[in-house]
Amino acid sequence: MGKIIKEKFCCKRVDYRIAGIVLRPNKNNLPIAILSHGFLANSKMMSQYMRLFAELGYAAFSFDFVGGCIKGKSDGKLTDMSVLTEVEDLKAVIEFAKSQTYVNPENICLMGCSQGGVVSALCAAELKEQIEKLILFYTAFCIPDDAKSGKMIMFNFNPDNIPDIIKCKIPCVKISKKYPEAVIDMDIWEEISGYKGNVLIVHGTRDKIVKPSYAEKAKIEYDVSGANCKLVMIEGGGHFFRGKYDKTAMRILHEFCNHKS
């Protein structure tokens, strides 16, 4: 493959600055891979997947969501963030990536982990044929159900009377009511069904944050909508893949992205 180039980039969504990194081979007409991290994570947590994409000949873009990280390099506060603002962030990064001279703007892959998977799935459903592949790792399709119950990860609230600011036990970590309000009435299965391309879903059988049944339901919904969907359950894997489970996930990702359809 030769040398992999690593570059910082930034783009904007309205007045917010979005910061990220691209890894790519020193070639032109590269397919695009855009990777979206999960809730309170950051782009560094996608680094091993970025490297794999770059080694497979992609221009791999990873970025920090606006207000979506504890230690991110993009603008914004956690109280500015919702799933829907992150969809807009991702669309801004897609447009930036498509504008680069070394890419093929008609060959785009989206990959998301946890909440980033939800964001990627919603974005793919909106952009439809513009997205060639969609990859979903331990995707938090439970978020709308969690909002309805008033229990979202570490945040508890009354769903019938959501406070303006919702705090948790971790100091300085708080979200605004816009976070649950953005999804509380969402039919996530209806929303994602607009995408009919190539989908890979990877989920751990011991995920205690997002039940495996959500991945199984997503597979059914994508099949019904006409997508070409593959579901792989990693036996023993939890939420976030570590150690041998991450090695398995990397192998699955390699096979999916290296397949010539």
Side-chain angles (χ1 to χ4, degrees):
M1 173 55 67
K3 182 180 178 181
I4 300 295
I5 297 171
K6 180 178 181 179
E7 299 171 316
K8 294 180 180 179
F9 75 86
C10 67
C11 59
K12 280 199 168 185
R13 192 256 294 170
V14 192
D15 293 327
Y16 291 108
R17 176 179 173 273
I18 300 172
I21 291 174
V22 56
L23 291 183
R24 62 180 179 89
N26 188 19
K27 295 183 179 181
N28 292 315
N29 199 38
L30 300 173
I32 297 168
I34 302 180
L35 293 77
S36 295
H37 65 76
F39 182 78
L40 297 186
N42 57 49
S43 59
K44 291 181 180 179
M45 295 188 70
M46 309 298 287
S47 59
Q48 74 272 35
Y49 305 130
M50 288 185 71
R51 172 63 60 173
L52 176 57
F53 274 110
E55 290 174 351
L56 288 172
Y58 285 76
F61 296 79
S62 184
F63 63 100
D64 293 335
F65 281 111
V66 168
C69 317
I70 292 293
K71 294 183 179 180
K73 297 183 182 299
S74 297
D75 290 344
K77 301 175 182 178
L78 194 56
T79 49
D80 297 324
M81 180 274 301
S82 76
V83 167
L84 298 184
T85 67
E86 292 196 345
V87 170
E88 295 304 310
D89 293 345
L90 177 53
K91 286 161 61 177
V93 174
I94 290 171
E95 288 305 308
F96 172 82
K98 288 168 61 177
S99 73
Q100 302 308 294
T101 58
Y102 49 80
V103 305
N104 175 0
E106 296 183 358
N107 192 341
I108 302 173
C109 171
L110 300 183
M111 176 182 178
C113 295
S114 196
Q115 180 167 299
V118 176
V119 171
S120 298
L122 290 171
C123 193
E126 183 175 341
L127 299 182
K128 295 181 172 58
E129 290 85 2
Q130 296 181 52
I131 306 304
E132 178 70 20
K133 292 185 176 73
L134 175 63
I135 299 165
L136 306 172
F137 275 21
Y138 46 90
T139 296
F141 286 125
C142 60
I143 289 177
D145 287 343
D146 291 350
K148 292 178 179 68
S149 73
K151 296 179 180 180
M152 303 184 79
I153 310 178
M154 63 195 78
F155 301 94
N156 296 326
F157 53 89
N158 180 353
D160 296 319
N161 186 21
I162 304 173
D164 291 336
I165 298 296
I166 308 168
K167 299 180 181 179
C168 73
K169 293 181 180 180
I170 301 176
C172 302
V173 175
K174 55 189 177 181
I175 56 175
S176 72
K177 68 188 302 181
K178 73 162 44 176
Y179 183 75
E181 283 186 340
V183 296
I184 198 166
D185 294 322
M186 179 184 290
D187 181 340
I188 188 64
W189 311 119
E190 177 66 25
E191 293 291 335
I192 69 171
S193 66
Y195 183 67
K196 305 182 188 304
N198 301 299
V199 185
L200 171 66
I201 302 172
V202 185
H203 209 95
T205 61
R206 293 190 178 180
D207 191 330
K208 296 181 179 179
I209 295 177
V210 182
K211 294 178 181 178
S213 58
Y214 281 97
E216 293 164 352
K217 174 68 171 173
K219 161 67 171 169
I220 292 170
E221 294 298 327
Y222 278 122
D223 285 346
V224 169
S225 71
N228 179 21
C229 182
K230 179 178 182 180
L231 168 63
V232 182
M233 304 299 292
I234 297 182
E235 185 64 37
H239 199 73
F240 308 110
F241 298 138
R242 297 181 176 91
K244 66 179 183 179
Y245 305 114
D246 196 46
K247 289 180 180 178
T248 299
M250 291 280 282
R251 175 181 55 78
I252 296 165
L253 179 61
H254 183 280
E255 291 173 356
F256 182 76
C257 292
N258 204 36
H259 177 70
K260 307 299 182 182
S261 57

